[in-house]
Structure formats: C-alpha cells, structure tokens
Amino acid sequence: QVQLVESGGGLVQPGGSLKLSCRASINNFDTYVMSWYRQARQGPGGQRDLVATVTTSNTQNYADSVKGRFTISRDNARQTVYLQMDDLKPEDTAMYSCHARQLVSGVEIWGQGTQVTVSS
C-alpha cells in the first residue's frame, strides 16, 4: 500500500526542538522529491504552506520563515525524510504533513499529518 506516515509531533516550549519523521511505503523512493508542508488553521480557509523540500539530488530548500532553524534530510535506504526543527516559535504551531512527488510521472502522495504545538 502506497502511503506516507508522519511521527514526532507534540507539545514543546518556545525555543525547544522537535524532529519529525516521514516513513514512506513507495517504490523507487529515491525518485521522489520530498517536502514538508504545514497548515496552521484547519478546515475551510486554512492554507497549507511549503516549509522545506529535499530533491532527488539532495538539494534542500526552505521557506524564509524557517531558514536557519529547520533542517530537512532524507535517508533513501530507510525510505524516510526528516525535519529537524530548532528554536521553535509559537507561530510554528501547525499540522505538519509530508508530501512526495515523482517528477517523471507526476504522482503525488500526502501523509495524514502530525501536530506540532509550540506553547509555554
């Protein structure tokens, strides 16, 4: 079954750290561009924003709001992508979702998401 399963979310105080994981069950994982998105407000009107991307050649890109604080990485042998989040701020509170996109076929896959809450 093709799927992405996120883990590692939770409640953390401002300035703290969390590491999210996204375990993939897909063939040819190394041909997928992997990304993390977040949505602060759920339901109608909520917008899903791109947080970070790691390409098939391991190039990383980040939203300006997380540059210098978040690090995305991938382990193709484990079919897993990670998001290390440091110096967390209340405005980082959101549902974080993993996304996979295969450039050749255009296939896209979304995970269910993991909640991150930054609060004192």
Side-chain angles (χ1 to χ4, degrees), residues 12-18 69-70 85-90 92 96 116 118:
V12 64
Q13 291 187 344
S17 298
L18 281 175
R69 300 188 298 122
F70 290 11
M85 305 185 295
D86 298 317
D87 190 22
L88 282 160
K89 303 176 180 181
D92 295 318
Y96 284 71
V116 172
V118 184

Side-chain angles (χ1 to χ4, degrees), residues 6 18 26 30 45 49 57-58 67 83 103 120:
E6 301 96 333
L18 281 175
I26 50 180
D30 57 348
D49 297 318
S57 58
N58 211 31
K67 278 181 183 175
L83 185 67
L103 296 179
S120 54

Side-chain angles (χ1 to χ4, degrees), residues 42-88:
Q42 304 303 308
Q47 177 179 322
R48 193 151 47 184
D49 297 318
L50 179 62
V51 175
T53 296
V54 57
T55 69
T56 56
S57 58
N58 211 31
T59 299
Q60 297 114 40
N61 292 287
Y62 299 93
D64 288 343
S65 59
V66 306
K67 278 181 183 175
R69 300 188 298 122
F70 290 11
T71 303
I72 189 171
S73 60
R74 65 189 298 159
D75 185 336
N76 290 338
R78 290 184 167 83
Q79 294 203 342
T80 301
V81 62
Y82 304 97
L83 185 67
Q84 175 67 43
M85 305 185 295
D86 298 317
D87 190 22
L88 282 160

